[in-house]
Amino acid sequence: MPSETLAPDLTGPRRAQRRHAARTLRLGCVQLTDAAPLLVAEELGLFDAVGLRVSLSVESAWAALRDKLAFGALDAAQLLGPMPIALSAGLDGVKAQVTVSAGLGANGNTLTISRALAAEIGRFPRPLPAAAFAAVARRRADAGRPVTLGVVFPYSSHNYLTRWWLASAGLDPDRDLRLVVVPPALCAQRLADGAIDGFCAGEPWGSHAAERGAGTIALSSGDIWPNHPEKVLAFAAGYALRDPESATACTAATIAATRWLDEPENKAEAVHILQRRIFPDLSAGAIGAAFDGTAEGFMQAAPLRFRTATLPRREQAGWWLRQMRRWGHIPPGIAEATALTPWRQDIWRAAAARLREVEPPAPNPPPADLPLAPMPETRR
């Protein structure tokens, strides 16, 4: 089916004004299902419709994408939700004041554990109760073979939601098990090789691991925080000031793509686009699970969604900041106003006005902040 017949209508009196693009907007993303809004916007001609020439590059690891955005090799990128905070604070020696104009999705991550670890836990309901996991984790730690879980980046929703889930059962993620960084596309193979006992990553990597028999999906990130914000569209430092029209137009095309993605009749075409563009070695079934709202055949209570997550909300990002403080990942002197400066609703609203897009409904509140774990010297 020609892509022109699939594209959302960006015509009309409030459409972004067509203009000759002075230069190409360099846009980056990672091999994940929730990169779909950017891929669809390019594939269906939505960037062209708002007068943008876009060059889309796909990376396999978050560190590479972060560095390219921070050091000027990219103009905009899909970023992990906590990453703009980390960049504002200059964590790991990389400092940049990016601009977040939109969210790219809600939910969409899975915690996948090895078959061996699942057997140790025994028969469990889905989502896996944290207490059931904690019992095995403690036994493994006492035996000198701690559970090793992979997360995709230190400053990621995956890390902080996994930490919250572990801490809710009384585990100290920094003492009772090992958390290691594994790029999303390598998670399934590392699990199959036995290098890790489980991982939290965006789809389709959990479904891919389950399909190849390397693991089983224990829960989804939406089971921890229903409809939590996930990736964001971020512009390089100063870009939105230098070229506000391009930033607004890019945001409008992205919002239009999320509309298209959330229409059930477009699922098959969306899967085809992702398979052809970034997942040529994965099955349509593994890619399509997130669109079906399933995890290893089980219906998810809070599946991947796109359109309702586009408004960038500082109050949601504030939960990431609190978790970064809780785990000592950010200097205590970083003010909240500074850390959350990147989130810009004004760009989203300007873009949404061109599409007659209404403000999404209020999101679910985040999980309650847990008390700090006892310090190591006081723990028994």
Side-chain angles (χ1 to χ4, degrees), residues 121 179 189 263:
I121 296 171
L179 294 179
Q189 188 59 52
E263 293 295 331

Side-chain angles (χ1 to χ4, degrees), residues 304-324:
L304 176 64
R305 290 291 181 266
F306 297 100
R307 185 176 181 179
T308 55
T310 57
L311 180 64
R313 301 179 187 268
R314 286 190 181 184
E315 63 272 22
Q316 289 186 307
W319 195 81
W320 304 133
L321 176 60
R322 293 198 297 276
Q323 302 314 300
M324 295 170 83

Side-chain angles (χ1 to χ4, degrees), residues 133-189:
F133 179 90
V136 171
R138 290 190 181 97
R139 289 200 300 269
R140 290 274 299 266
D142 290 343
R145 49 187 190 96
V147 171
T148 300
L149 295 181
V151 293
V152 299
F153 196 71
Y155 318 118
S156 64
S157 62
H158 315 71
N159 190 14
Y160 296 121
L161 289 172
T162 299
R163 284 173 172 269
W164 188 94
W165 182 74
L166 295 168
S168 73
L171 292 175
D172 182 338
D174 295 316
R175 286 174 47 85
D176 298 327
L177 65 158
R178 296 176 63 239
L179 294 179
V180 299
V181 173
V182 182
L186 297 181
C187 284
Q189 188 59 52

Side-chain angles (χ1 to χ4, degrees), residues 14-38:
R14 302 184 73 177
R15 177 184 64 81
Q17 183 178 356
R18 286 181 181 272
R19 64 193 180 95
H20 175 68
R23 65 183 180 87
T24 299
L25 186 150
R26 300 163 300 173
L27 181 59
C29 66
V30 169
Q31 287 176 289
L32 291 162
T33 305
D34 55 18
L38 305 182

Side-chain angles (χ1 to χ4, degrees), residues 34 37-38 79 100-106 229-234 251 254-255 258 305-313 316 343 348:
D34 55 18
L38 305 182
L79 286 189
V100 174
S101 70
L104 294 178
E230 190 40 48
K231 312 303 187 303
V232 297
L233 173 63
T251 303
T254 302
I255 295 171
T258 68
R305 290 291 181 266
F306 297 100
R307 185 176 181 179
T308 55
T310 57
L311 180 64
R313 301 179 187 268
Q316 289 186 307
W343 276 259
W348 183 92

Side-chain angles (χ1 to χ4, degrees), residues 91-114:
L91 302 186
D92 297 339
V94 183
K95 187 176 179 65
Q97 193 67 41
V98 301
T99 298
V100 174
S101 70
L104 294 178
N107 310 311
N109 308 318
T110 55
L111 177 65
T112 306
I113 60 176
S114 69

